[in-house]
Amino acid sequence: MMKKKSIFASKASLVLFLCQMISALDVPLDLSQPPTITRQSPKDYIVDPRENIVIQCEAKGKPPPSFSWTRNGTHFDIDKDAQVTMKPNSGTLVINIMNGGKAEAYEGVYQCTARNERGAAISNNIVIRPSRSPLWTKEKLEPNQVREGDSLVLHCRPPVGLPPPIIFWMDNAFQRLPQSERVSQGLNGDLYFSNVQPEDTREDYICYARFNHTQTIQQKQPISVKVFSMDSLNDTIAANLSDTDIYGAKPVTERQPVLLTPTGSTSTKVELRGNVLLLECIAAGLPTPVIRWIKEGGELPANRTFFENFKKTLKIIDVSEADSGNYKCIARNILGSTHHVISVTVKAAPYWITAPRNLVLSPGEDGTLICRANGNPKPNISWLANGVPIAIAPEDPSRKVDGDTIIFSHVQERSSAVYQCNASNEYGYLLANAFVNVLAEPPRILTPANKLYQVIADSPALLDCAYFGSPKPEIEWFKGVKGSILRGNEYVFHDNGTLEIPVAQKDSTGTYTCVARNELGKIQNEVQLEVKDPTMIIKQPEYKVIQRYGQVSFECIIKHDSTLLPTVIWLKDNGELPDDERFLVGKDNLTIMNVTDKDDGTYICIVNTTLDSVSASAVLTVVARPNPPFDLELTGQLERSVELSWIPGDENNSPITNFVIEYEDGLHEPGVWHYQTEVPGTQTTVQLKLSPYVNYSFRVIAVNEIGRSQPSEPSEQYLTKSANPDENPSNVQGIGSEPDNLVITWESLKGFQSNGPGLQYKVSWRQKDVDDEWTSVIVANVSKYIVSGTPTFVPYEIKVQALNDLGYAPEPSEVIGHSGEDLPMVAPGNVQVHVINSTLAKVHWDPVPLKTVRGHLQGYKVYYWKVQSLSRRSRRHVEKKILTFRGNKTFGMLPGLEPYSSYKLNVRVVNGKGEGPASPDKVFKTPEGVPSSPSFLKITNPTLDSLTLEWGSPTHPNGVLTSYILKFQPINNTHELGPLVEIRIPANESSLILKNLNYSTRYKFYFNAQTSVGSGSQITEEAVTIMDEAMASRQVDIATQGWFIGLMCAVALLILILLIVCFIRRNKGGKYPVKEKEDAHADPEIQPMKEDDGTFGEYSDAEDHKPLKKGSRTPSDRTVKKEDSDDSLVDYGEGVNGQFNEDGSFIGQYSGKKEKEPAEGNESSEAPSPVNAMNSFV
């Protein structure tokens, strides 16, 4: 959240504007003007009788005014009273009380008059009264003996003071007496009891009156109150009462409400406009009544209505005539209600509608003074001139009185005077001075010259032009030295001369000229306006949630006008940051280290400049694991349940999601805590199920999003009574470990499950499907029992029952177990193998009889192994493989076989004890497959037109080899592939010499083996035939000849000269047909490059195998060809812009301009031609 304010905008600019309007009405003090009262004491002036009395009266005027006073309507001669002095150059009176004077002697109504040659101004009537704080009158106070439940009023009746005192009730220890709906103080200071209770008995009810003016407190004598119940009343004071009184008394009974104040059903109240209206209703009754307020025929005014003193007082502030009406208070309890209606009338002392204002006129001008006021009743308006009723004041032909208005026509200098308007009714009066000053003055501008105003863009700019002149000057504004007059809706021109630019922009910056003119002259003034960029927080602090003891940082990155110097202040909760080294304030951030709970709050970044201020805030929430619960309490203890309650600890700003309840068994596992249950975080009680014979303690852990609290302190212990076991052991099993036994196992009961001391187990068993009796044995607290001498793998019915010293658990359920297993007796028969392909076979067998398994049938195992490869007829180490087929399955698949091989297999049955005997070995063979790739391919002995190939036979022939297949094709410099040639080679060969190949040519070879099934995978290689050494040496010799180097230099110099001549001709505006010149003077050694194929000169076409012409350029692949050779890489394709790897994958893209293609490096034996060297040079 970001807030922004500007110093010269909004409220600040409005205040400045109002000040300027007021100052525009002031006459400069160097000009003649009537007196103006600038300061005076209040109308009702209560003074401290112990201090000097100061009655203020200050005024200004030209010439400076003289002062005089009246007291009680007659002249007050201060020279005749030694105790009274007047301050120099002032009308303020000082009455010396501290040196023997008495304040009471100076009570009265005072009025000040300030006078000079142009008129007289008078002050209000100032009523001087010394404050009074009298003592309480002596009175005899009887003790108050009250019956319980009755109402009571303790009267204060404070002395009449000036001003009235503040009343409060205290005891002897100066402690305020507690108040409530039942006991409260009324507006008159009395203490009201709606009904008394025994605790109200005391002897020190003391009423105090505080007189703030004299800072004194007066105390009433203590009042005693004794409250009697009916029983004690009959026992203690029966002798002092008649029989009728005693026996007619009733016990405390409830009563319906009765109003103690105000009395009756209706009353009236008059209040003055603008004051605070206080209405009060206090009622007696039992139970204590509740007060409610309504306004008949209307609503209580919103935002101005308040209830005080437990709703017994209705308070309406700033009342107006609209608040007149009937207000009803209703007192209600369960027995009934009563009410009182207060009729409120709002009167009004006079208040201004239009107060008269000073009038400055030039000779011959007209003007008016207006004095309008309102009130209830309507006030009477009267005029005075220089303090004298206008009816008896000296006549002035230029003025005319018309009720609340004085009209002036063709005034002259003698018309200057001070006029007083008095508006009065029975509730008060208003007095206002307004002068008429007749002057003839040329314009003057009071605003300093070249005053600089600085504002923020998009805010109002107020340029001041305070002026004075008589007649009143006209004001015009200009922008710039020679600018035109400012007009239009973008400007506001105020009567006091101020120019307002409601929304100042950057282009509003500049010099503004104010011109004031009247018939007596003209004057101008310049002011400067600078519009600044607003200060902005471009990255505000953000809401943060941080764990306790962590680190948090708030950013506050700002952007501001470069001419303004910002200051950044950080606040916490609208106050200064704590004086703590953990708070680190950086240039644009605030970092808090090792955060604690106290750091929780709102952090505000405030950026101030001299012109504006912006702020942004963010909330920091410090979270932590909750504090542990406390005050654990066990209630409602029963044999099998108890209620646990607790009080949650502080959740540390992260709501508690759930409570975990744990228990400790102090009898069986002391110190070990177990999970019991958990409840939602809104729950603080839980009913817990209990087990017998457990000494319980409980603890509670609170959980929130941050983590788990520390465990609470343990609750009190609770030992439950013993009982029979509720449950039997679980997971009962019967499994033999030997062919002649039965091992019975179970999971023992835990300590708290025993339900009592002496835990044992009754183990019972009998053979299933045999008419046998149960055999039982009672064992100690163990978990296993072995039955010996059983038949092999026979089913048994088994049960295990828990018991303790108090009896047996419920009857257990039965489980089926088996005595021990033995190895299977027979092997599977009728084993058959079906070969599916060269690597997969399917095997079948007949299941064995279940009786021969002698245990739980787990499945069958197939053992198989390779005997030999049919292609090589060589034996090797036998590696048997095993496949297991679960359950009563009678077939299975044998994957991963090797082609053209001989295999054996057998099958065995498996139970829990182990494997049975193997079936007879079954032999099967796999058919041929395709061979693997040849083991290697090596290319040696390259010549101009031949290569020698050598290879190795496949590592896995997978059958009988029938032949080898060789494929090859040439590759040119652009990696284009030529025609593919295929050769079939007998299987018994291991090398081959390829002849009639092209010289200096790269070839790619593909080689694979074949069986009768098909071809195997291939391997690839590349090789290059060598080039003609004689031609290569000739190329090198030409390139190193001196004549050739000289020729190249001459060609370069010629080209440079031609370029210079071309440049000169072009600068002169002529044309130089370079291409025509070159064509006309063609050098046979330097021919232009063809644009279509990027080669030099003429060359033999790949289609017709024409030899190169004499003197022509070398081909673009930068190789030198023999003239009698028609073999070229160009023969195997043109225009291919890519090259490929050995496997044919695309590896790059090249330009179609062949002369720019780089040489192949080590892959080519070609040498650079001298012509290409020249081309590179040029």
Side-chain angles (χ1 to χ4, degrees):
M1 178 179 64
M2 186 172 75
K3 299 178 180 178
K4 182 169 182 177
K5 56 185 178 181
S6 176
I7 291 176
F8 289 101
S10 65
K11 294 183 179 179
S13 61
L14 179 59
V15 172
L16 176 63
F17 170 57
L18 293 176
C19 293
Q20 290 170 334
M21 286 192 67
I22 295 171
S23 64
L25 300 177
D26 288 343
V27 179
L29 288 177
D30 61 336
L31 297 179
S32 296
Q33 57 183 292
T36 300
I37 301 290
T38 58
R39 181 180 296 179
Q40 57 183 317
S41 293
K43 294 179 180 178
D44 191 8
Y45 188 16
I46 299 175
V47 298
D48 190 336
R50 300 167 299 181
E51 297 179 355
N52 293 339
I53 301 174
V54 178
I55 310 176
Q56 290 184 334
C57 180
E58 304 286 345
K60 65 178 182 177
K62 180 73 174 189
S66 60
F67 296 89
S68 62
W69 285 87
T70 63
R71 176 183 174 190
N72 297 327
T74 61
H75 176 67
F76 182 35
D77 192 349
I78 62 175
D79 295 332
K80 293 182 179 181
D81 192 332
Q83 303 295 334
V84 181
T85 59
M86 185 183 293
K87 290 184 178 181
N89 302 318
S90 167
T92 298
L93 296 182
V94 178
I95 303 174
N96 196 334
I97 301 300
M98 302 179 69
N99 289 333
K102 291 186 178 181
E104 291 79 2
Y106 292 94
E107 285 191 65
V109 180
Y110 292 79
Q111 189 172 44
C112 171
T113 300
R115 187 185 306 275
N116 68 9
E117 62 188 29
R118 288 198 164 235
I122 61 175
S123 70
N124 291 321
N125 288 330
I126 303 171
V127 180
I128 302 296
R129 293 185 296 171
S131 64
R132 298 180 180 87
S133 52
L135 298 176
W136 249 287
T137 57
K138 295 290 183 179
E139 58 181 325
K140 185 178 180 181
L141 300 176
E142 296 292 337
N144 291 275
Q145 296 185 351
V146 193
R147 186 176 62 172
E148 179 183 356
D150 286 352
S151 60
L152 176 65
V153 180
L154 300 182
H155 298 288
C156 180
R157 298 191 183 98
V160 178
L162 187 66
I166 297 173
I167 306 301
F168 52 93
W169 290 79
M170 294 198 297
D171 58 17
N172 277 331
F174 295 100
Q175 298 298 314
R176 285 187 178 267
L177 295 176
Q179 298 191 21
S180 62
E181 289 185 344
R182 187 178 63 86
V183 182
S184 60
Q185 177 183 315
L187 294 176
N188 63 355
D190 292 347
L191 191 62
Y192 292 86
F193 295 78
S194 294
N195 52 79
V196 295
Q197 302 296 327
E199 60 266 24
D200 296 329
T201 298
R202 63 189 309 151
E203 297 180 352
D204 56 350
Y205 286 92
I206 305 173
C207 180
Y208 288 86
R210 184 174 66 219
F211 298 90
N212 283 342
H213 220 77
T214 57
Q215 296 296 310
T216 58
I217 296 178
Q218 302 292 351
Q219 172 184 335
K220 186 181 179 75
Q221 288 181 320
I223 302 175
S224 174
V225 175
K226 187 168 185 179
V227 180
F228 291 97
S229 64
M230 282 309 302
D231 292 339
S232 61
L233 184 64
N234 288 330
D235 293 340
T236 58
I237 62 173
N240 298 323
L241 298 174
S242 67
D243 292 344
T244 303
D245 291 332
I246 294 175
Y247 298 108
K250 298 180 180 179
V252 176
T253 57
E254 296 178 339
R255 304 187 317 279
Q256 67 180 17
V258 175
L259 286 175
L260 297 175
T261 183
T263 58
S265 61
T266 62
S267 60
T268 60
K269 172 80 172 181
V270 175
E271 191 56 78
L272 292 182
R273 180 180 184 271
N275 287 354
V276 176
L277 173 65
L278 293 174
L279 304 178
E280 180 182 58
C281 276
I282 301 177
L286 186 67
T288 302
V290 175
I291 305 297
R292 186 168 66 92
W293 291 89
I294 61 172
K295 183 180 181 182
E296 293 182 346
E299 298 290 335
L300 295 174
N303 303 323
R304 295 189 293 116
T305 301
F306 304 91
F307 298 100
E308 296 179 345
N309 197 20
F310 308 99
K311 292 193 175 181
K312 300 175 186 178
T313 302
L314 171 65
K315 177 180 178 180
I316 301 177
I317 62 173
D318 192 24
V319 294
S320 65
E321 288 85 344
D323 295 320
S324 297
N326 293 332
Y327 292 81
K328 178 186 287 188
C329 69
I330 304 169
R332 184 185 303 277
N333 67 9
I334 58 175
L335 298 181
S337 65
T338 186
H339 67 270
H340 183 92
V341 176
I342 305 173
S343 179
V344 174
T345 302
V346 177
K347 298 292 186 177
Y351 55 91
W352 290 120
I353 296 176
T354 304
R357 299 177 60 184
N358 293 338
L359 194 58
V360 179
L361 300 174
S362 64
E365 276 194 316
D366 301 335
T368 58
L369 286 179
I370 300 174
C371 176
R372 289 178 184 160
N374 202 357
N376 187 9
K378 188 172 182 63
N380 178 48
I381 303 294
S382 62
W383 287 97
L384 296 89
N386 295 325
V388 177
I390 201 165
I392 60 175
E395 287 191 9
D396 183 351
S398 65
R399 76 172 177 235
K400 177 183 177 183
V401 179
D402 185 9
D404 58 8
T405 304
I406 301 179
I407 303 171
F408 296 93
S409 303
H410 304 289
V411 296
Q412 301 301 319
E413 187 173 353
R414 64 177 179 273
S415 300
S416 296
V418 181
Y419 291 87
Q420 289 81 33
C421 173
N422 185 299
S424 61
N425 65 13
E426 59 187 282
Y427 298 106
Y429 74 93
L430 293 173
L431 179 68
N433 290 277
F435 65 66
V436 174
N437 195 13
V438 181
L439 293 173
E441 286 291 327
R444 61 171 69 184
I445 293 179
L446 307 179
T447 300
N450 291 313
K451 184 175 180 180
L452 175 63
Y453 294 90
Q454 294 180 324
V455 299
I456 294 297
D458 297 325
S459 63
L462 295 170
L463 308 183
D464 187 19
C465 184
Y467 65 90
F468 182 80
S470 184
K472 181 181 178 181
E474 294 181 356
I475 302 298
E476 292 179 329
W477 281 92
F478 301 84
K479 184 179 181 184
V481 178
K482 297 182 180 180
S484 59
I485 187 170
L486 297 181
R487 306 182 190 280
N489 296 330
E490 65 266 31
Y491 302 102
V492 178
F493 303 95
H494 294 284
D495 290 341
N496 65 344
T498 298
L499 170 66
E500 179 182 355
I501 306 175
V503 183
Q505 302 295 334
K506 293 288 285 186
D507 58 4
S508 302
T509 298
T511 300
Y512 289 80
T513 302
C514 166
V515 178
R517 60 166 57 90
N518 67 10
E519 61 190 35
L520 301 179
K522 166 186 170 184
I523 192 171
Q524 68 181 37
N525 186 37
E526 292 181 353
V527 295
Q528 308 295 324
L529 174 63
E530 292 181 357
V531 181
K532 308 290 186 178
D533 290 325
T535 304
M536 295 184 293
I537 299 178
I538 58 177
K539 188 165 186 181
Q540 303 181 28
E542 298 176 346
Y543 173 74
K544 295 291 180 69
V545 177
I546 190 71
Q547 291 191 32
R548 188 187 295 164
Y549 309 124
Q551 175 180 323
V552 68
S553 182
F554 292 107
E555 286 189 295
C556 185
I557 300 177
I558 64 174
K559 179 182 179 183
H560 61 91
D561 192 283
S562 59
T563 62
L564 299 177
L565 182 62
T567 58
V568 179
I569 302 173
W570 286 91
L571 302 179
K572 178 181 183 292
D573 296 330
N574 292 319
E576 293 184 357
L577 290 178
D579 186 12
D580 192 327
E581 60 184 8
R582 298 181 300 107
F583 288 77
L584 306 177
V585 178
K587 177 183 177 183
D588 49 19
N589 61 59
L590 168 65
T591 301
I592 308 174
M593 314 287 291
N594 197 21
V595 172
T596 66
D597 293 339
K598 293 182 180 179
D599 300 331
D600 202 272
T602 301
Y603 289 84
I604 307 171
C605 168
I606 301 177
V607 185
N608 292 319
T609 68
T610 54
L611 296 182
D612 63 350
S613 176
V614 291
S615 65
S617 63
V619 174
L620 172 63
T621 301
V622 180
V623 297
R625 296 185 299 172
N627 292 349
F630 56 94
D631 282 356
L632 272 65
E633 183 179 5
L634 296 178
T635 56
Q637 290 91 339
L638 300 175
E639 290 186 2
R640 293 296 183 99
S641 68
V642 69
E643 184 174 270
L644 173 66
S645 61
W646 62 90
I647 298 177
D650 193 336
E651 63 183 18
N652 292 323
N653 292 327
S654 181
I656 295 174
T657 56
N658 56 293
F659 293 100
V660 177
I661 293 89
E662 297 180 340
Y663 72 91
E664 175 197 30
D665 183 359
L667 192 63
H668 302 97
E669 295 179 289
V672 179
W673 290 90
H674 300 276
Y675 173 85
Q676 171 88 8
T677 186
E678 60 183 86
V679 296
T682 56
Q683 188 173 329
T684 57
T685 60
V686 63
Q687 193 77 19
L688 300 174
K689 294 182 179 180
L690 306 180
S691 296
Y693 195 53
V694 176
N695 193 14
Y696 282 100
S697 289
F698 299 97
R699 68 183 188 185
V700 183
I701 299 170
V703 182
N704 63 10
E705 288 187 356
I706 310 305
R708 295 161 62 102
S709 73
Q710 292 294 321
S712 67
E713 292 295 323
S715 70
E716 60 181 304
Q717 291 187 330
Y718 177 48
L719 177 62
T720 55
K721 295 180 180 180
S722 301
N724 294 3
D726 292 325
E727 50 190 313
N728 288 301
S730 59
N731 197 24
V732 178
Q733 293 182 336
I735 302 174
S737 60
E738 298 294 338
D740 60 350
N741 75 5
L742 172 65
V743 180
I744 302 173
T745 60
W746 61 89
E747 287 186 12
S748 300
L749 298 180
K750 296 180 181 180
F752 72 90
Q753 294 175 310
S754 66
N755 286 5
L759 178 64
Q760 294 178 305
Y761 300 100
K762 179 182 177 182
V763 184
S764 303
W765 68 91
R766 68 180 178 184
Q767 189 171 336
K768 190 176 184 296
D769 301 327
V770 177
D771 192 14
D772 280 351
E773 295 293 329
W774 286 95
T775 302
S776 300
V777 62
I778 294 179
V779 298
N781 189 11
V782 295
S783 60
K784 182 172 71 173
Y785 182 76
I786 301 177
V787 181
S788 302
T790 63
T792 300
F793 197 65
V794 173
Y796 279 86
E797 294 176 321
I798 304 166
K799 58 183 180 180
V800 181
Q801 185 178 24
L803 67 152
N804 62 16
D805 291 349
L806 279 75
Y808 286 88
E811 184 67 23
S813 58
E814 301 171 6
V815 298
I816 304 299
H818 287 81
S819 58
E821 299 181 70
D822 207 346
L823 294 176
M825 299 173 62
V826 299
N830 193 25
V831 177
Q832 301 291 331
V833 179
H834 172 60
V835 178
I836 297 175
N837 56 40
S838 60
T839 61
L840 180 66
K842 184 176 184 181
V843 59
H844 293 262
W845 62 87
D846 291 339
V848 300
L850 289 179
K851 291 185 178 180
T852 66
V853 177
R854 298 199 295 180
H856 294 286
L857 175 63
Q858 294 186 354
Y860 293 88
K861 286 187 178 181
V862 178
Y863 286 74
Y864 65 102
W865 62 95
K866 180 180 175 182
V867 178
Q868 66 177 12
S869 173
L870 299 179
S871 60
R872 295 182 177 173
R873 305 292 181 182
S874 59
R875 293 184 176 273
R876 61 177 182 174
H877 173 69
V878 176
E879 180 182 354
K880 290 188 177 182
K881 298 181 180 180
I882 304 173
L883 286 178
T884 300
F885 300 95
R886 298 289 179 185
N888 197 20
K889 201 169 184 182
T890 59
F891 66 92
M893 306 298 290
L894 305 181
L897 304 177
E898 294 185 13
Y900 206 51
S901 299
S902 176
Y903 280 88
K904 287 185 178 182
L905 64 77
N906 59 53
V907 185
R908 310 177 192 193
V909 66
V910 182
N911 66 10
K913 190 71 173 180
E915 301 176 2
S919 67
D921 292 346
K922 188 74 174 178
V923 178
F924 67 95
K925 298 178 181 179
T926 56
E928 288 188 82
V930 296
S932 63
S933 62
S935 57
F936 68 88
L937 175 62
K938 185 165 58 175
I939 303 174
T940 60
N941 301 326
T943 66
L944 288 174
D945 61 353
S946 68
L947 293 168
T948 300
L949 281 68
E950 298 178 358
W951 60 87
S953 60
T955 306
H956 301 286
N958 295 336
V960 178
L961 295 181
T962 58
S963 63
Y964 292 101
I965 302 299
L966 173 66
K967 299 177 183 178
F968 64 94
Q969 59 189 144
I971 308 173
N972 67 9
N973 282 354
T974 60
H975 295 271
E976 296 168 337
L977 300 175
L980 187 67
V981 179
E982 180 177 327
I983 300 175
R984 185 177 296 273
I985 304 171
N988 59 352
E989 297 290 339
S990 62
S991 64
L992 175 68
I993 299 175
L994 282 177
K995 297 183 179 180
N996 298 324
L997 302 177
N998 295 335
Y999 73 91
S1000 187
T1001 303
R1002 179 176 293 277
Y1003 288 90
K1004 188 167 186 176
F1005 299 90
Y1006 313 90
F1007 194 67
N1008 64 289
Q1010 279 189 333
T1011 65
S1012 60
V1013 177
S1015 299
S1017 56
Q1018 65 183 13
I1019 59 175
T1020 62
E1021 284 291 342
E1022 291 188 11
V1024 181
T1025 57
I1026 65 175
M1027 68 181 296
D1028 188 338
E1029 296 180 0
M1031 182 171 290
S1033 64
R1034 285 200 299 273
Q1035 288 177 345
V1036 173
D1037 291 342
I1038 293 172
T1040 57
Q1041 295 300 313
W1043 64 268
F1044 184 76
I1045 295 173
L1047 177 61
M1048 294 301 100
C1049 292
V1051 171
L1053 181 60
L1054 178 60
I1055 292 174
L1056 179 61
I1057 293 171
L1058 291 175
L1059 289 174
I1060 293 172
V1061 172
C1062 179
F1063 178 73
I1064 293 172
R1065 289 285 301 276
R1066 177 170 294 179
N1067 286 346
K1068 290 182 178 181
K1071 296 183 180 179
Y1072 181 71
V1074 177
K1075 181 169 177 45
E1076 294 175 6
K1077 294 287 185 179
E1078 289 176 348
D1079 292 340
H1081 304 283
D1083 191 309
E1085 290 297 317
I1086 304 175
Q1087 294 294 331
M1089 181 169 60
K1090 292 185 178 181
E1091 293 181 358
D1092 54 351
D1093 57 11
T1095 60
F1096 286 95
E1098 297 178 1
Y1099 54 88
S1100 63
D1101 187 87
E1103 300 292 335
D1104 54 14
H1105 302 283
K1106 294 179 181 179
L1108 289 172
K1109 292 182 180 179
K1110 188 175 181 179
S1112 65
R1113 294 296 177 195
T1114 58
S1116 63
D1117 57 3
R1118 298 187 183 182
T1119 61
V1120 179
K1121 295 185 179 180
K1122 294 186 293 184
E1123 291 183 359
D1124 58 351
S1125 174
D1126 59 0
D1127 288 329
S1128 170
L1129 292 182
V1130 178
D1131 295 341
Y1132 301 103
E1134 291 282 338
V1136 179
N1137 294 334
Q1139 79 177 32
F1140 295 79
N1141 285 327
E1142 295 177 358
D1143 59 356
S1145 63
F1146 185 81
I1147 65 169
Q1149 192 171 21
Y1150 296 83
S1151 170
K1153 301 291 184 179
K1154 295 183 180 180
E1155 72 277 14
K1156 293 184 180 180
E1157 182 175 334
E1160 293 295 326
N1162 294 334
E1163 293 186 0
S1164 175
S1165 58
E1166 301 164 359
S1169 73
V1171 179
N1172 281 339
M1174 180 275 293
N1175 181 44
S1176 299
F1177 174 77
V1178 174

